[in-house]
Amino acid sequence: MKKRLYAGALLSIMTVAAAAQAQSLVYVSNAESGTVTGYQLDKSNKTLIPIGTFPAGDNAMSSVVSPDNKMLYVSVRSKPYHVVAYHIQPDGKLEKAGQTTLPESMAYLSLDKQGKFLLSASYGGDLFSINRIGSNGLVEEKPVQVVHTGKRAHAIQVDPTNHYLYVTLLGADQLLQYHFDAVTGKVTPNDPPFINIQDEAATGPRHFVMAPQPDRQGKRSMYVLTEMAGNITRLTLNKDGTTTEAEAVSSVSPDEDMQRGEAQPLNGDKLPPSNKPRIWQADIHITPNGRFLYSTERTSSTLTSFSVDTSDGHLTRLASIKTEQQPRGFAIDNSGRFLVESGQKSDRLSLYTINDSTGALTLVGRYPTGKGANWISLVEQ
């Protein structure tokens, strides 16, 4: 009995010690600075502690972390277009492992669930690419597959089963649907190969997230943020990997007097003047428990929160708050207690706590970062 008690106590001490050694890391891509800035998220003191600044390349943007939390991949959207691979060191510093040429300027990076393939979508090239990742963590040069799409492919992700792949087409108001072969990394169109996401005018499907768990009816929801329409379209994932539109919920604060947006010109020109500020939504994320969802709108510099009905996936808007100027990207930690948000026209990051019961955000700190901060990846070690 004493041995069992001793063993139990030792296991408890080891568990506590492991938890104490665990750390949360935050990496921010800074397009104008051409860098990645690193921070440690100190959850006990609700602060960000700077780790360092690491060179990446002009227009460093989308980033993604490997499933084992050992690698960080960053898309560099200046010629020659490429992805930089970093080893994440025990102290959180980044060590460049190598870089790999990509077929185009990639607006969005993700990985399959096994971390064997890099998935990248090109807004300007109207395509997506799938590249194998070697055992050394480096992205292989020759793509497994390059698929030409309709206008302005924006985001790309596999589903939780790793059997299906989806791509939003901002310029065609569509969601592409594919079968994904986790062994070869290749895709084939599903039936139907796409669904339309459109109401009376262009909606601009941009980023999307999937509910971490099915609802009480056994169905899983996908939430697609529309860049121009100012809403979130909820889709239901079917067993065959296809999707069915369920509803669209307004995601722009009613306090903001805005008009429908328009797609940004590819040549960098500004849109002509408008009567009212244009809607220009950016990013969307959901808490790990699936109870709260958040989105950003760049023109009004707002961050909006929603509650998620776990019985059917329905969204209810809770509140919109002002945040960093032109909020581009944000991330939620694995505990669902912290949200880190960046602004493309701000030199600061905002750190918020998330209320477990209400989803309300409380600003607990702002921290310096590089110029053009636009993408955030979190690592839990």
Side-chain angles (χ1 to χ4, degrees):
M1 175 65 75
K2 287 184 179 180
K3 289 185 178 179
R4 279 201 294 264
L5 288 174
Y6 175 77
L10 181 60
L11 180 61
S12 178
I13 292 171
M14 292 173 63
T15 302
V16 171
Q21 292 175 2
Q23 61 177 338
S24 297
L25 305 170
V26 178
Y27 297 103
V28 183
S29 299
N30 308 299
E32 293 180 39
S33 298
T35 60
V36 175
T37 46
Y39 309 81
Q40 181 181 355
L41 172 58
D42 184 338
K43 297 182 181 182
S44 298
N45 296 309
K46 302 176 183 178
T47 59
L48 289 178
I49 303 169
I51 294 173
T53 299
F54 312 96
D58 291 342
N59 282 328
M61 299 191 75
S62 179
S63 62
V64 64
V65 177
S66 61
D68 62 7
N69 293 321
K70 293 182 178 180
M71 301 291 298
L72 176 73
Y73 302 94
V74 178
S75 172
V76 174
R77 301 181 67 187
S78 56
K79 292 183 178 180
Y81 307 125
H82 61 278
V83 58
V84 181
Y86 299 93
H87 289 300
I88 301 172
Q89 303 301 300
D91 60 1
K93 293 184 182 297
L94 297 178
E95 180 182 280
K96 184 176 178 179
Q99 66 183 52
T100 305
T101 302
L102 294 176
E104 259 290 351
S105 169
M106 297 302 185
Y108 196 102
L109 299 184
S110 66
L111 300 173
D112 78 303
K113 296 303 179 183
Q114 297 177 343
K116 293 183 177 180
F117 297 96
L118 178 77
L119 317 171
S120 54
S122 176
Y123 179 84
D126 301 338
L127 58 82
F128 66 86
S129 175
I130 300 173
N131 290 64
R132 187 178 296 275
I133 296 176
S135 58
N136 58 0
L138 296 181
V139 179
E140 296 184 0
E141 283 282 351
K142 185 178 180 181
V144 169
Q145 191 174 13
V146 175
V147 178
H148 294 271
T149 63
K151 291 176 61 178
R152 302 187 180 184
H154 210 298
I156 180 170
Q157 292 185 53
V158 292
D159 80 316
T161 71
N162 215 34
H163 293 154
Y164 304 102
L165 181 142
Y166 306 94
V167 180
T168 47
L169 295 187
L170 187 144
D173 296 320
Q174 293 176 342
L175 177 78
L176 304 183
Q177 309 177 138
Y178 295 91
H179 293 278
F180 175 71
D181 187 325
V183 176
T184 66
K186 293 186 176 182
V187 298
T188 53
N190 208 328
D191 183 18
F194 65 87
I195 66 166
N196 293 313
I197 301 177
Q198 189 173 5
D199 46 26
E200 75 277 6
T203 59
R206 182 180 167 87
H207 291 181
F208 61 96
V209 293
M210 298 176 212
Q213 304 93 18
D215 59 29
R216 292 175 192 168
Q217 303 173 42
K219 298 180 179 179
R220 191 185 298 269
S221 291
M222 176 192 292
Y223 300 93
V224 182
L225 186 73
T226 61
E227 182 171 309
M228 289 102 72
N231 62 37
I232 295 172
T233 298
R234 181 170 66 87
L235 309 175
T236 298
L237 296 180
N238 303 315
K239 291 182 179 180
D240 62 359
T242 61
T243 57
T244 302
E245 184 169 344
E247 63 178 343
V249 176
S250 176
S251 48
V252 173
S253 170
D255 297 330
E256 305 292 340
D257 187 17
M258 305 180 74
Q259 70 177 46
R260 199 181 192 96
E262 297 180 38
Q264 300 293 311
L266 288 173
N267 60 8
D269 289 348
K270 293 184 178 180
L271 291 169
S274 58
N275 294 327
K276 298 179 181 180
R278 291 184 176 92
I279 294 170
W280 192 25
Q281 298 199 105
D283 205 7
I284 183 171
H285 292 284
I286 192 168
T287 54
N289 63 10
R291 293 184 56 206
F292 301 105
L293 181 144
Y294 302 86
S295 66
T296 55
E297 199 289 314
R298 285 172 281 190
T299 302
S300 61
S301 296
T302 50
L303 178 58
T304 299
S305 56
F306 304 82
S307 63
V308 182
D309 189 333
T310 55
S311 66
D312 60 6
H314 174 71
L315 295 180
T316 299
R317 181 184 165 276
L318 298 174
S320 296
I321 61 174
K322 293 292 184 179
T323 187
E324 301 297 339
Q325 188 176 4
Q326 197 168 299
R328 169 61 182 76
F330 67 98
I332 298 170
D333 82 308
N334 282 0
S335 73
R337 294 169 45 225
F338 294 92
L339 185 152
V340 187
E341 189 275 324
S342 66
Q344 288 176 293
K345 293 186 176 181
S346 174
D347 60 358
R348 295 288 187 274
L349 299 176
S350 283
L351 174 64
Y352 298 92
T353 56
I354 300 174
N355 185 289
D356 291 340
S357 301
T358 66
L361 298 172
T362 299
L363 180 66
V364 292
R366 298 180 70 224
Y367 301 87
T369 192
K371 293 183 179 180
N374 65 89
W375 204 281
I376 299 177
S377 285
L378 264 68
V379 178
E380 308 283 346
Q381 291 184 327

